[in-house]
Amino acid sequence: MRQVAVETALFHELRSQDQWQRKMASISSEIDRMPTTTTLEESSLERLRKKIDLMQIIYPRLTSRTRSTPDGSTTPGSELEVAMETRAVASLLVVTQEVIDIAHELIRGNREQAKTALLRMQTSIGMVILAMGALIVFVWLLVSRRILQPLRIFEQGTKQLAAGNYAHRLKLVQNDEIGDLAEEFNAMIQRVEAAAVELGKHRDNLAEQVLSRTTELTKAKVVAESLSQYARSLIEASLDPLVTISAQGKITDVNDASVQATGVPREQLIGTDFSSYFTEPEEARKGYQRTFSEGLVRNYPLAIRHKTGRIMDVLYNAAVYTDAKGMVLGVFAAARDITERKLLDQVLHEKNAELERATAAAEKANLGKSDFLSSMSHELRTPLNAILGFAQLIESDSPAPTVSQKRSLDQVLIAGWYLLELINEILDLAQIESGKIVLSLEPVSMVEVMDECRAMVEPLATKRCIKMTFSPLESAYFIEADRTRMKQVLINLLSNAIKYNKPGGSVILTCAVVAANSIRINIQDTGTGLTPEQMAQLFQPFNRLGRESGPEEGTGIGLVVAKRLVELMGGTIGVESAVGVGSAFWIEFKLKTARQLDIEDAAQVVLARPPVPEGTQARTLLYVEDNPANLELIEQLLARRSDLRVLSAADGNLGIEYARAYQPDVILMDINLPGIGGLEAMKVLRSDPSTAHIPIIALSANALPRDIEKSLAAGFFGYLTKPVKLDEFMDHVDLALKSPAAGWNADVDRSF
């Protein structure tokens, strides 16, 4: 045991470990060989074996706590490993003490053997104690050099770092974790030093920025104060009362105009209820609440009461104002004094009422004038008809009048026909001004209208030696107009261009498309032309522009009628003139797509009718129409109806004569006809017993309900509107053909 204890001091060496194992095995063998005489000795030996086994377990743990360095030396591990090794040594000492105690027991049982064993065990235990002491000293020195000294170095480094000495570095060189930690610590100090330098730069820069910002804020404060003073001066400069109102309805600020309006000083106004300064406080509060709900109120009528009792009528304009976060703080309101304007409005209202009464009286007088002119025109037609009629009878009587009588009759006829023309113009103007004129707007072919007008004015041009030139149209243009009135306008313009031309002059009519959907008809003459003053008075009624004493007769209303007819048909009229050069009158209309005559469609409609039994007598339909295109459409539509025979008349008078002569089964009557209109022609036929039974169907481009009702009430059997729907047209014709010969039921709805 003594030898084992000595060698234990060197247990960190492999040789010592091997010797330890061999000695412990030898001790175990000796214990096994020891003789026992009593049960107590056997028990003691058994306990001793167990303690030896425990020592063999503790020793390997003690040797495993060390590690080898690259040079072969051993170094302790961490502080935890050193503590565990110390505990292992202590445990080994305890077990050794227990072994000694067991040995004492054996000695007492067997002194001779015990003495020998005890001596050897004491030696071993002494060696173990010496080894343990040496180990503890070694471990302490190692911990002091490897751990405590570096910790003191680290402590000194942290103190230098805390004191701001960033140039300090740890002078510690070890090839272990503590050495690595020292290197990281030095690197950290280096980074802190760099950061401190950078921070110093930023601190200097920040100081400069703070100084600059402080200067800017000072300047901004000066500007803000200036702006505030400027804004205040603007508010005070306003002639309108301005006020800011809090969310609770209290006045927070006012301008001097508000003080003048209320008569209350600014200090007394601020903090009071704003509505208390109005004649109707409740209305003021409603306007304030409306401003909050809608965000804005314009021209809200109120009245401010001055403390003296004076009332100021105002219109308030108010809006909410908010803070930087968008929270509504209150209302900003401005009042506009309208007291004088209200008085002016009242005066204006009274003047307007007087003007309306005067206008109504003038319109009534104008209507009376138009009614008078219309009535007188009709009254004049009757004696004029007799004059012209008897003059023509005398002219054609046998024996023929003498030369002197012939000259007198010619003057009577010329004057009579001119008087008839004047009466017609006056009647047209009266109807236009009274709104009684009825237009039948439909697609009108410009080629057809111009050809008809040319044929009517060429004799007058030939008589006055005026050359007429009509430029050919590039294509078949159609406009939406009243065919008869369109011819009336063109004939009036052409007649004026001939009458007011110079001898041997010329008249040129051209048509040109001036836009994508407009056409202009231009009539250029070579007359004396018009001055700017004359052009300014050109379209005034009964104004002949100073030509009353000239050789040409007239009333001065032809151009007025032409202008108003053109405008009623949706067109425009104008003139360009130069003194000594001539004048150019033009009218402009929108182009219209003409209704295409589709014979096949008409045939399909006609053939869809039930076949007519053989031997059935054909019925006669009289169509009174001045538009060749419409006439052709109806003729083609009825061409394959074997049960119908179509007659046509170009004007109302001829239609009346045809109706009396041919007794048709049904009459199709256009409303707007030259000479006598369709409505007048229908009344004539209704008043004649020989034609009163014939059903007459009106055909017109006018689709206004009041015109349809008026026509049906006047006596028409039915009313068709253009463009004609073929099925409805044929149904209407069949309905008229089935009506009793003596009359028809007025309760049936016949408007299509």
Side-chain angles (χ1 to χ4, degrees), residues 588-653:
E588 190 172 316
F589 284 90
K590 296 290 185 182
L591 288 171
K592 181 74 175 181
T593 303
R595 178 180 174 83
Q596 299 297 322
L597 304 178
D598 195 337
I599 300 178
E600 294 183 1
D601 291 345
Q604 292 176 2
V605 173
V606 174
L607 294 178
R609 303 280 162 178
V612 180
E614 295 183 6
T616 302
Q617 185 177 2
R619 314 288 290 277
T620 302
L621 182 145
L622 173 62
Y623 185 24
V624 185
E625 173 65 74
D626 65 321
N627 190 324
N630 290 335
L631 179 60
E632 183 180 356
L633 173 64
I634 299 302
E635 288 178 345
Q636 291 188 28
L637 178 62
L638 300 176
R640 299 188 183 186
R641 283 280 301 256
S642 58
D643 61 330
L644 286 177
R645 183 166 61 95
V646 180
L647 297 175
S648 62
D651 58 59
N653 291 321

Side-chain angles (χ1 to χ4, degrees), residues 216-246:
E216 292 178 0
L217 289 176
T218 303
K219 293 180 180 178
K221 182 180 179 181
V222 173
V223 173
E225 291 175 352
S226 176
L227 290 176
S228 177
Q229 181 62 31
Y230 177 69
R232 188 68 203 179
S233 64
L234 287 180
I235 292 175
E236 292 298 341
S238 174
L239 300 179
D240 295 331
L242 303 178
V243 60
T244 57
I245 309 167
S246 69

Side-chain angles (χ1 to χ4, degrees), residues 410-476:
D410 288 342
Q411 292 299 319
V412 170
L413 289 173
I414 291 173
W417 290 119
Y418 177 67
L419 180 59
L420 179 61
E421 181 181 351
L422 296 182
I423 291 172
N424 289 335
E425 288 183 349
I426 293 173
L427 181 60
D428 283 342
L429 181 61
Q431 288 180 330
I432 291 172
E433 290 184 344
S434 63
K436 293 182 178 180
I437 190 169
V438 178
L439 299 177
S440 179
L441 301 179
E442 57 189 354
V444 175
S445 171
M446 293 304 303
V447 174
E448 295 176 0
V449 170
M450 285 170 35
D451 288 345
E452 293 176 9
C453 292
R454 181 175 186 174
M456 295 179 69
V457 299
E458 272 189 339
L460 178 62
T462 302
K463 181 179 179 180
R464 294 177 178 256
C465 300
I466 302 298
K467 181 181 178 181
M468 296 286 297
T469 303
F470 282 67
S471 300
L473 293 177
E474 298 177 357
S475 61

Side-chain angles (χ1 to χ4, degrees), residues 57-76:
I57 293 173
I58 293 174
Y59 181 79
R61 292 181 181 178
L62 182 64
T63 57
S64 64
R65 299 297 178 185
T66 61
R67 60 176 178 177
S68 299
T69 60
D71 59 356
S73 63
T74 59
T75 60

Side-chain angles (χ1 to χ4, degrees), residues 550-609:
E552 299 297 335
E553 298 176 337
T555 61
I557 62 175
L559 281 178
V560 178
V561 172
K563 181 177 186 298
R564 297 187 182 178
L565 285 175
V566 168
E567 292 173 349
L568 285 173
M569 291 186 290
T572 55
I573 186 171
V575 61
E576 298 173 0
S577 184
V579 177
V581 178
S583 303
F585 285 83
W586 56 266
I587 55 177
E588 190 172 316
F589 284 90
K590 296 290 185 182
L591 288 171
K592 181 74 175 181
T593 303
R595 178 180 174 83
Q596 299 297 322
L597 304 178
D598 195 337
I599 300 178
E600 294 183 1
D601 291 345
Q604 292 176 2
V605 173
V606 174
L607 294 178
R609 303 280 162 178

